[in-house]
Amino acid sequence: MFEVGIKAHFSAAHHLRGYPGSCAACHGHNWEIEVFVRGSELDETGILVDFRVLKDRVKEALAEIDHCDLNQVDAFRTANPTSENIAAYLYRELACRLNTDRHRVARVSVHETPETVSTYWE
């Protein structure tokens, strides 16, 4: 089994509805994400998934949430835009864009700060 991954980042504002603290107010983060793809078969050049393809698909998914108020994004109109929910959202978005017969998105990690991380996988 092989696993490859990349790091990327996006910036956005959000607020956590129902949160009993300062995160209930609108504020922003510079999130870092990690995306991992897993599979057992390499292509004829010895590659699981081209890093360029992986970066392009991640860039497309992030374009939908970069530099915006996450609470205004359809996916987060009812679900709080927590790091956990952002990781699940990106996992699903990237699975649609990247999964093939040879490889699948394995997990997505979202770092709200350098000291914190939330990871989603199925």
Side-chain angles (χ1 to χ4, degrees), residues 90-105:
L90 287 172
Y91 178 97
R92 291 182 195 108
E93 285 292 314
L94 292 167
C96 292
R97 299 167 195 264
L98 285 166
N99 287 359
T100 69
D101 291 341
R102 281 193 322 101
H103 53 72
R104 303 186 64 73
V105 174

Side-chain angles (χ1 to χ4, degrees), residues 13-29 31 69 71 80-83 112-113:
H14 73 155
H15 67 275
L16 301 183
R17 294 176 293 273
Y19 184 79
S22 60
C23 291
C26 187
H27 63 284
H29 295 283
W31 277 277
D69 178 350
N71 294 79
N80 258 338
T82 61
S83 291
E112 188 172 284
T113 69

Side-chain angles (χ1 to χ4, degrees), residues 34-49:
E34 296 175 281
V35 176
F36 296 91
V37 174
R38 186 176 295 155
S40 58
E41 292 182 39
L42 303 179
D43 69 11
E44 62 279 353
T45 59
I47 294 173
L48 178 65
V49 58

Side-chain angles (χ1 to χ4, degrees), residues 38-91:
R38 186 176 295 155
S40 58
E41 292 182 39
L42 303 179
D43 69 11
E44 62 279 353
T45 59
I47 294 173
L48 178 65
V49 58
D50 191 316
F51 283 125
R52 183 176 18 158
V53 170
L54 186 52
K55 289 177 184 178
D56 287 347
R57 294 303 138 333
V58 169
K59 185 176 180 180
E60 291 169 7
L62 291 179
E64 298 174 13
I65 59 174
D66 189 32
H67 284 84
C68 68
D69 178 350
L70 294 176
N71 294 79
Q72 299 303 311
V73 174
D74 285 342
F76 303 112
R77 289 200 186 269
T78 57
N80 258 338
T82 61
S83 291
E84 293 88 344
N85 285 332
I86 294 167
Y89 165 80
L90 287 172
Y91 178 97

